[in-house]
Amino acid sequence: MRLDQIAINSQCTSHRNLEEALDAYAAAGFRNVEPHLNLVKDWLDDGHTVDETRRLFESRGLRVVASSQLEVMCFGSPDARMPNLRANAENARLIRELGGDVMVVGTDGPEQNSVEALGLVADAVRQLAEATEDTGVEIAIEFNWSPIVRSLRSAVRVAELADHPRVGVLFDTAHYHVTPTELSDIDREAVRYIKHVHVDDMPDEPADLIHRDFDRVLPGEGAIDLPEIISTLERGGYEGYFSIELFNADLWRLPAKEAARRCYESLLSLCAAGSRPSGG
């Protein structure tokens, strides 16, 4: 992992608004960001234009690399699903206007989970990709943000069935830790579908008894072998971004700049020595 591949997800910090968040990330040393679309839309609702918002990132030397907000509705009638398809398509266009390349999505689920139902998920995500061809934004399915897509293998199966070059997988190390996903699942065939990676650590407790989101800790403070996972991803051919994503109450109690600094520093030891800042 190189320094120019690290990013921060805005869920990591507590902040008044988008401007305060971006000031904190830039001050910490980040150059790549993954703002949640709720944060962006709140800023737009305050009277700012998309062009002004894009310049807010650019003026701080920050690049939007991904974003997220909604699940993809895969089950139900076409009429019931259409508003969700339109909303996700609008989100993809906003991400592109901000300079981003990846939209992370979850999914809903069927009344009864089955391998066959993964085909309906694939159909819905393919439809979203086709509806957003003009954006070029890639759709990354986050396994375990779904009642049916619960592991890397099931997410890869959906991407295979979708058979669309812009449909792939979001790999999150916390979800890896708490789901039936093994290191051996991160093979070259799986990695070719991975569009984006979230980096976080988890406490040394039984994986089935910790919360997938709210028990996350800074990289290096938990039990996940992050260097091994990252090197496995890289050996499989992954060359994208590694975005820290925490839902940590201790970080949320800190000023945004201090929380962002801790996030940045926690990633430095995972970066290849030659890419670290001087003295890092």
Side-chain angles (χ1 to χ4, degrees):
M1 187 170 84
R2 303 185 313 274
L3 190 65
D4 63 1
Q5 289 177 288
I6 68 172
I8 184 170
N9 186 297
S10 64
Q11 301 283 25
C12 294
T13 59
S14 177
H15 33 256
R16 292 188 306 274
N17 55 34
L18 179 63
E19 185 173 29
E20 182 185 30
L22 299 188
D23 284 343
Y25 306 154
F30 285 101
R31 294 296 172 261
N32 306 304
V33 293
E34 183 181 352
H36 195 279
L37 282 184
N38 284 350
L39 183 62
V40 173
K41 291 181 178 182
D42 285 347
W43 184 254
L44 294 173
D45 288 345
D46 282 342
H48 302 280
T49 68
V50 173
D51 284 344
E52 289 170 342
T53 305
R54 186 176 61 252
R55 288 195 294 271
L56 193 71
F57 288 91
E58 293 172 349
S59 66
R60 288 155 178 77
L62 296 171
R63 178 175 187 267
V64 175
V65 297
S67 190
S68 64
Q69 185 186 40
L70 300 175
E71 298 177 350
V72 175
M73 188 174 178
C74 307
F75 301 91
S77 70
D79 287 345
R81 290 169 40 221
M82 185 55 65
N84 174 263
L85 175 63
R86 292 189 182 121
N88 270 308
E90 289 173 4
N91 280 354
R93 294 188 176 92
L94 176 57
I95 291 168
R96 170 51 69 199
E97 287 183 286
L98 295 174
D101 300 317
V102 177
M103 182 167 73
V104 179
V105 298
T107 81
D108 64 352
E111 292 184 6
Q112 180 66 45
N113 283 351
S114 66
V115 174
E116 291 72 24
L118 292 176
L120 295 177
V121 177
D123 290 344
V125 179
R126 184 193 314 111
Q127 184 181 19
L128 174 58
E130 291 171 349
T132 56
E133 291 286 6
D134 58 313
T135 70
V137 170
E138 298 190 299
I139 313 298
I141 305 158
E142 181 169 359
F143 66 89
N144 210 30
W145 179 11
S146 166
I148 182 171
V149 185
R150 298 292 304 277
S151 68
L152 176 59
R153 289 188 65 190
S154 59
V156 169
R157 177 71 64 87
V158 169
E160 290 173 338
L161 292 171
D163 193 24
H164 190 287
R166 287 175 30 254
V167 172
V169 175
L170 178 284
F171 183 92
D172 186 303
T173 54
H175 295 320
Y176 161 88
H177 187 68
V178 301
T179 65
T181 300
E182 305 290 341
L183 191 67
S184 59
D185 295 330
I186 312 173
D187 56 21
R188 186 168 290 274
E189 281 304 301
V191 173
R192 65 189 288 257
Y193 289 107
I194 294 176
K195 306 290 190 182
H196 193 56
V197 172
H198 284 165
V199 178
D200 31 64
D201 213 336
M202 295 293 265
D204 189 11
E205 301 291 348
D208 56 329
L209 299 178
I210 54 180
H211 195 278
R212 67 182 189 183
D213 292 332
F214 300 119
D215 284 325
R216 299 183 186 200
V217 296
L218 287 164
E221 294 185 358
I224 301 178
D225 190 345
L226 294 174
E228 180 64 22
I229 293 172
I230 290 169
S231 64
T232 302
L233 288 164
E234 292 176 334
R235 286 196 301 272
Y238 182 74
E239 297 179 343
Y241 293 96
F242 294 87
S243 182
I244 186 168
E245 185 194 49
L246 300 176
F247 304 84
N248 184 288
D250 290 336
L251 285 179
W252 289 339
R253 282 190 282 267
L254 296 173
K257 285 187 177 181
E258 175 61 18
R261 182 189 66 79
R262 294 189 186 190
C263 288
Y264 183 80
E265 291 183 353
S266 75
L267 295 173
L268 293 182
S269 65
L270 299 172
C271 292
S275 75
R276 297 176 199 161
S278 178

